Amino acid sequence: MERIGLIGAGRAGTALGAALAAAGHPLVGVTARSDASLDRAARLLPAVPVLTADEVTRCADVVLVAVPDDLIHDVAHTLALTSAQYVVHLSGAHGLAPLSGLAATPVALHPSMTFPGGLVSLDGVMFTATAPDAARSIVERLVKALGAQVQWIADDQRARYHAGLVHGANHLTTLVSQAVAVLREAGVADPVATLRPLLVATLDNTLRSGHHALTGPIARGDADTVAAHLAVLRDSTRRTYAELARATVELATDGRLDAETVRRLTEVLDGHRADRTGEAPR
């Protein structure tokens, strides 16, 4: 089993470190400086010593650089790594560039999972990796030990890959938060209970069927309903609704909407844009 060293005690790093330790990979040490990091390490990695970066690096076969994206390059280049080691960062957006020039074999390894700050099951989670061929076997071995899956993408596609995750996951939080606020403003006593079954069913259907799962006023061509929604929504929620509605019209031009219905929906949405900017719709 590879000895794992953890540089940084953030949420993702400690969760992954704990999962690797539970899978039988010795965690030789972790670095932690802030009170929050020290507390997290004590809770999630109670048997792991808090060491200096040099001590962690010296003892490890695999060094996980689990620090914020903008710090990966600078932190990694302070480590006394050797050619016998692997250095791994956990960023989704970055490829191998932050690790370039290091003696150790570089790996970009990102789990498509959210880490709220506690122990997390990684069973079935997809890790997306970019690495030289020499690192493939160890990456696959580590991921398999977690009960997870691994896929490989090219270095120059990391930013596009991460944009897809952020757009689908982080913006989903924005969208749902806005929807909850609108329902609350409408006098709905329990917006979450109202939305939950609809959101769960919609997400499941969309993951199975893609845009063919689309329902609602745009899929039906109800331009008047869309106009009524825009009339009662406010500020950023109105803008979000309108831009997503415009994208939804594009999705629905797969044969479900005829040209006249698309024209009417577009006219409504262009009218919203004119109301907001004071300019005539194009």
Side-chain angles (χ1 to χ4, degrees), residues 172-274:
L172 178 61
T173 298
T174 303
L175 178 62
V176 173
S177 297
Q178 288 185 345
V180 166
V182 171
L183 290 176
R184 187 171 288 120
E185 289 173 2
V188 173
D190 194 340
V192 173
T194 304
L195 278 170
R196 188 188 305 276
L198 176 62
L199 292 178
V200 170
T202 300
L203 180 59
D204 185 59
N205 290 339
T206 302
L207 290 174
R208 281 203 317 264
S209 305
H211 71 282
H212 297 294
L214 183 64
T215 63
I218 288 178
R220 295 190 298 268
D222 294 339
D224 290 344
T225 298
V226 173
H229 292 170
L230 290 170
V232 298
L233 294 174
R234 295 179 298 179
D235 303 327
S236 63
T237 300
R238 188 172 188 243
R239 294 192 296 273
T240 302
Y241 181 103
E243 290 308 313
L244 288 174
R246 196 177 298 277
T248 305
V249 170
E250 293 179 9
L251 281 181
T253 56
D254 60 353
R256 278 176 286 187
L257 299 178
D258 58 37
E260 174 57 22
T261 302
V262 170
R263 185 197 65 76
R264 288 191 296 110
L265 287 165
T266 302
E267 187 176 73
V268 167
L269 294 168
D270 284 348
H272 150 74
R273 181 174 288 170

Side-chain angles (χ1 to χ4, degrees), residues 1-5 16 20 25-26 60-64 83-88 104-109 127 129-146 148-150 152:
M1 289 289 187
E2 288 77 19
R3 297 170 299 168
I4 309 296
L16 184 56
L20 285 167
H25 290 276
D61 301 309
V62 177
V63 179
L64 295 181
S83 60
Q85 293 173 304
Y86 298 86
V87 58
V88 182
T105 302
V107 178
L109 184 64
F127 282 71
T130 302
D133 288 344
R136 284 195 171 229
S137 62
I138 192 171
V139 170
E140 290 172 351
R141 188 162 62 251
L142 289 173
V143 173
K144 184 178 179 181
L146 298 172
Q149 305 176 68
V150 63
W152 298 85

